[in-house]
Amino acid sequence: MDILSQDIMYLSGVGPHKKDTLVGQLGIKTWGDLLEYYPYKYVDRSKVYRISDLTGDMPFVQIKGKILSYEVFASDRRHKRTVAHFTDGHGVADLVWFKGGQYAMKTYKVGEEYVVFGKPTTYQGRYQFAHPEMERAADLCLNDMGMQPYYITTEKMKNAGMTSHAVGKLTKTLVGKIPAGALQETLLPSQISRLHLISRDDALRKIHYPKSLDDVQRAQVRLKFEELFYVQLNIVRYMAEHRKKYQGYVFGKVGEHFNRFYQENLAFELTGAQKRVMHEIRDDLRSGRQMNRLLQGDVGSGKTLVALMVMLLALDNGFQACMMAPTEILAEQHLATLQAFLKGMDIRVELLTGIVKGKRRKEVLEGLADGSVDILVGTHAIIEDNVQFRRLGMAVVDEQHRFGVAQRAKLWAKSEKPPHILVMTATPIPRTLAMTIYGDLDVSVIDELPPGRKPIVTLHKYNNQTTSLYNGIRQQINEGRQVYIVFPLIEESAKLDLQNLEEGYASLREIFPEFKLSKVHGRMKAAEKEAEMQKFVSGETQILVSTTVIEVGVNVPNASVMVIVEAQRFGLSQLHQLRGRVGRGAKQSFCILVTGYELSQETRKRIDIMCETNDGFRIAEADLKLRGPGDLEGTQQSGIAFDLKIADIARDGQLVQMARDEAQRIIDNDPDCNKPENALLWDRLKELRKTNINWSAIS
Ligand code: ADP
Ligand code: MG
């Protein structure tokens, strides 16, 4: 039996109680699981500081010396403080216990030499260590201690005595139990030498029990690379297999539809970025390969127009096209946009969403099947099995977030060959992140806004600064503009949030008796929502009070003010998306972030970044730093990356690139994935696919 599949119970130091904690809290069942429970930080314990060299901003440090005397301070029985005056010959520091002082006095003897480990703080002009870790110097060999690993532990674990220190003892025991060289290599010898990596056996030991910072770094690089490499190998292999399996339709022609639109209907010049992206897409469409392309562009950069032109190319080549949006409102808005663009042209555009029912639905479905519907706009309803196209050649998907590999696969099934796919997203994603999350897509970027747009001015206002806020709104509306006022709504506090929205709406009606208001939230019936929305779109109402249902896609160029109430409750990318609803016309637009006075540091950072920049890429990067990639919506749903235990795609960008290059090299040399010298890699990949739930659902 593989030594790593041994039950964690059979590790000395793990009894039934600890086993329950490890399994219950961390899912650690076997030796192998524990071995892959990596520390998140290290503290150098080979170094001993002099008390006279301490500074206030030091992290955990070690000092070595003797207790001179104990002193007990007690203002009353419940507030007792035991202090040991401690010296190393260079200075005096205090060791302090607020509880357990009795135990300390019994255990740590005056005059004996100890190594004390803790975080120094200053108190009344002296350094003190509260509840330090202490060990007899005679019991320690400091040179041997190296770096002390720190493991993430839960509250329940700590209560059960499983501190980071305790976990460290277990991993140390474990590493000692595994015979040298017993940990299987997962990379090729040639890779290890070419990329200057250490072996897996070495890395797994050093990651838990490093002697130096250098050990830590080499172990981390090796293990991170390995993780990222297999993610990239999976992606690159998947793309290669896909290309082999599916040929794409060739759209060789630029015909009547495209030309007529471009020459007669299009009222403005394309931006340079739109033109470049059109070229990239046309190259794909002529190549004979099926296109899977991600079109990134900030809100308002003109992606929808690009999508429309691409769909017209499909029609020119005798195919149908469809466009999918994440919500009904957005689908309806897209429909309206397309119809306006296509005015006077003989193109049948239809809508298919959950609310298209009965006779209407039947007509649409029939039109799709007999080919008389040219373009279908809709929600996920489009990928349902009963929706059959006569000849679907092009599918546009708006907002990648909610549309992963599995959904795309459903689209391929709708046609003889898989249709070309263009995924549009307004969430700018740093390159190395895109490489992992949407790794199987080629990327085009619209990095230029249509001319004449004025940068949106973003301001932060506190709750009580409403007078200037209301005056600003009034002024803008009197100048003919419209205003969004957005309230947060999250599932966990939906009832309260809705109440806030209702109250906000009622008071806004009193504040602005001269204006008309619309109100929209996710709990309303679709038709009702649509009607309210429509009033705002048509300009009948001047203020739209809503929850985030307008977050993506709504296009009202006349709207110039976006007020976000309780802005602290929104994430950065959400704030940016919301802000993108304004600034679409030629007039100066404003985004007002309203919060209370008490803000966490992180919230302040978010607000500051919003006020500072309109650049979606900068915001996405800041967001990634603040939240980490784990929170990024879509990481799970894209379904193509394996779980990462140690690598961090936000921070390890260079390693991501290195892993991608290496994966590509392997596939290029072994396109059929069957060369014996690579067997190790293909076996390992198979194993990983098996244990990855997302992945196995797709392939
Ligand atoms: P996105 O989908 O990227 O958020 P849209 O396609 O909705 O952006 O475009 C925003 C607005 O800009 C729309 O009103 C659109 O008609 C207009 N627009 C798009 N491209 C151009 C251009 N090249 N010049 C001027 N206006 C444009
Ligand atoms: Mg859009």
Side-chain angles (χ1 to χ4, degrees), residues 300 303-304 334 398 424 553 581 584:
K303 297 184 294 294
T304 314
H334 278 318
D398 193 4
M424 304 195 287
R581 298 303 104 211
R584 303 182 147 233

Side-chain angles (χ1 to χ4, degrees), residues 10 50 78 168 188 210 331 362 385 412 461 532 619 652 683:
Y10 301 114
R50 286 183 176 183
R78 295 211 346 265
L188 303 174
K362 202 164 151 253
D385 292 336
W412 300 331
K461 296 253 177 214
E532 282 291 301
I619 288 169
D652 299 325
D683 288 348

Side-chain angles (χ1 to χ4, degrees), residues 98 102 110 119 200 242 252 261 283 291 309 311 326 374 413 424 427 483 518 546 596 615 660 681 687:
F98 297 97
Q102 287 287 359
V110 172
K119 181 167 170 42
R200 184 155 189 270
H242 183 78
F261 172 75
D283 284 346
M291 174 174 80
M309 291 191 292
M311 291 197 287
D374 298 303
M424 304 195 287
T427 311
V483 174
S518 283
S546 82
D615 181 341
R660 176 61 164 242
L681 303 181
E687 213 175 287

Side-chain angles (χ1 to χ4, degrees), residues 372-385:
S372 61
V373 171
D374 298 303
I375 296 176
L376 180 69
V377 180
T379 50
H380 274 200
I382 291 183
I383 55 172
E384 281 166 18
D385 292 336

Side-chain angles (χ1 to χ4, degrees), residues 368-411:
L368 285 172
D370 67 22
S372 61
V373 171
D374 298 303
I375 296 176
L376 180 69
V377 180
T379 50
H380 274 200
I382 291 183
I383 55 172
E384 281 166 18
D385 292 336
N386 62 356
V387 180
Q388 295 295 334
F389 291 79
R390 197 174 84 87
R391 216 172 169 221
L392 180 65
M394 179 78 221
V396 175
V397 181
D398 193 4
E399 289 305 321
Q400 161 74 13
H401 280 11
R402 304 157 211 222
F403 198 73
V405 175
Q407 284 82 7
R408 261 179 273 151
K410 274 193 139 182
L411 267 178

Side-chain angles (χ1 to χ4, degrees), residues 291-305:
M291 174 174 80
N292 274 297
R293 190 167 278 279
L294 180 69
L295 179 58
Q296 271 189 24
D298 218 335
V299 272
S301 62
K303 297 184 294 294
T304 314
L305 177 59

